[in-house]
Amino acid sequence: MSKFLYLLLLIPSLINAAAIPENGLSRPVSAKSNNEEKIFNTLIDKVEKAYRPYIESYSKEFNVERYWDDPKVNAAAWIKGDSYNFKIYGGLFRFETISHDAFLLVACHEVGHLIGGAPTYKPFNDGSSEGQADYFSITKCFRKVVRGEDHKKTLRGKSLEPLAIKECELSFFKKSEDYQICLRSSVAIKDMAKTLKAISNISEVPSINTPDPYERMFIIFNGYPNPQCRIDTLFAGSLCNVSEEEENDFYLKLYNKGNCAVANGDQRGLRPKCWYVPREEDKV
């Protein structure tokens, strides 16, 4: 065994994953944005409050770092031993295409890296993969965080995609809060699509109306699916009718627990084949 590989094996579990690919973008604090620091913290508080008891119930520490003054347009998550961590920067909140709900999706994505279940980053299996973190962000965390809010007020004046209205109706009873959250999710997804275009140097804004037709032979464990595939994942997740209270596998081993999955008999809300390949659970 090489000395380098030996040293790697001694390193405790440590991922550093992010919803937003590494970029050189910067959005510094301005006089106008200064008044929004309270909103920045309130949104993060919602996510922290939703998942602190759950993570601590497994005897883990949950640390949330907020850097309002930092202009970086990003966030990150990592696990180190029994410490589950994520950090988020003010530059992301101030980015022009990030709405409050899109900001929640990013924060939720970071939590998804920590507790979103399999697939995971290889070879260390020390955090849910990017595609899985995207899926968790919308199927579990976003729903959990916004449940009980006035969704009709949030949606007032927003343009809804006809496809989103149609598909949300097929997944949820029209008079239910789940249906309203599904519609609200579609608006947040549209804002995330604009953000992915802005940071990815692609010519077209990804859309729920233009799904990626590619079907992979192997799961994308490491790295990001393409922007369109990520939007497909978010939209599919918004249509999954498995409750946000049904846990994913905290230990990141099970692929189908808590998810809409072929193995569970589901037909809607499945993780898209542009990054995921349906599979049975590994024996653990």
Side-chain angles (χ1 to χ4, degrees):
M1 180 184 297
S2 72
K3 183 177 180 181
F4 175 72
L5 180 57
Y6 176 76
L7 290 173
L8 275 180
L9 293 175
L10 293 179
I11 297 174
S13 184
L14 179 60
I15 62 166
N16 196 355
I20 306 297
E22 195 63 38
N23 61 78
L25 297 171
S26 176
R27 294 296 183 271
V29 174
S30 66
K32 180 180 178 182
S33 63
N34 235 356
N35 298 323
E36 297 187 320
E37 184 176 1
K38 183 177 180 180
I39 300 173
F40 168 80
N41 283 308
T42 298
L43 293 172
I44 300 169
D45 285 344
K46 289 181 180 182
V47 177
E48 182 175 359
K49 181 180 178 181
Y51 284 99
R52 176 172 295 283
Y54 174 66
I55 292 173
E56 290 182 347
S57 74
Y58 282 87
S59 300
K60 309 296 182 184
E61 295 178 9
F62 186 38
N63 301 307
V64 180
E65 301 176 9
R66 311 143 187 254
Y67 298 104
W68 171 250
D69 293 324
D70 197 307
K72 291 188 187 73
V73 180
N74 222 319
W78 68 102
I79 298 171
K80 187 173 183 180
D82 287 333
S83 180
Y84 284 51
N85 314 273
F86 88 83
K87 60 184 175 183
I88 197 160
Y89 300 103
L92 174 69
F93 180 86
R94 292 184 288 273
F95 195 68
E96 48 272 19
T97 57
I98 288 284
S99 61
H100 293 170
D101 278 358
F103 184 80
L104 282 177
L105 275 182
V106 174
C108 282
H109 174 103
E110 303 313 330
V111 175
H113 278 303
L114 306 176
I115 61 171
T120 55
Y121 265 91
K122 303 299 182 185
F124 298 114
N125 302 309
D126 54 358
S128 298
S129 66
E130 297 295 342
Q132 186 63 24
D134 280 338
Y135 191 72
F136 173 93
S137 73
I138 200 92
T139 58
K140 302 299 183 186
C141 179
F142 185 76
R143 290 178 186 171
K144 188 178 183 72
V145 168
V146 305
R147 188 167 294 281
E149 296 182 359
D150 188 342
H151 310 298
K152 290 183 179 179
K153 181 179 178 181
T154 301
L155 288 170
R156 197 168 296 144
K158 305 291 187 184
S159 175
L160 296 174
E161 293 284 353
L163 180 62
I165 297 172
K166 174 187 173 184
E167 294 297 328
C168 287
E169 266 189 63
L170 290 173
S171 284
F172 305 105
F173 179 54
K174 194 171 180 180
K175 293 185 178 180
S176 69
E177 184 182 11
D178 287 322
Y179 174 72
Q180 293 297 323
I181 292 175
C182 185
L183 294 180
R184 181 172 172 176
S185 297
S186 73
V187 176
I189 291 167
K190 189 183 294 187
D191 293 332
M192 279 301 300
K194 294 173 185 174
T195 302
L196 290 174
K197 178 187 182 298
I199 64 174
S200 302
N201 196 29
I202 54 178
S203 59
E204 300 290 334
V205 178
S207 168
I208 64 171
N209 297 300
T210 57
D212 186 342
Y214 185 70
E215 295 189 8
R216 298 190 65 86
M217 294 179 62
F218 304 101
I219 294 172
I220 297 178
F221 291 100
N222 300 336
Y224 296 94
N226 68 63
Q228 178 60 58
C229 185
R230 296 189 69 187
I231 294 306
D232 296 347
T233 301
L234 291 172
F235 186 48
S238 74
L239 304 176
C240 174
N241 54 21
V242 174
S243 169
E244 69 271 18
E245 298 303 327
E246 188 169 330
E247 298 175 7
N248 296 92
D249 180 27
F250 186 86
Y251 297 106
L252 310 182
K253 296 179 184 296
L254 301 178
Y255 287 77
N256 300 315
K257 179 176 167 54
N259 298 313
C260 281
V262 173
N264 297 338
D266 299 305
Q267 296 182 339
R268 296 182 57 74
L270 303 172
R271 288 162 285 188
K273 294 180 180 179
C274 54
W275 77 269
Y276 185 74
V277 180
R279 58 181 288 168
E280 300 290 333
E281 301 290 20
D282 291 337
K283 293 184 178 180
V284 295

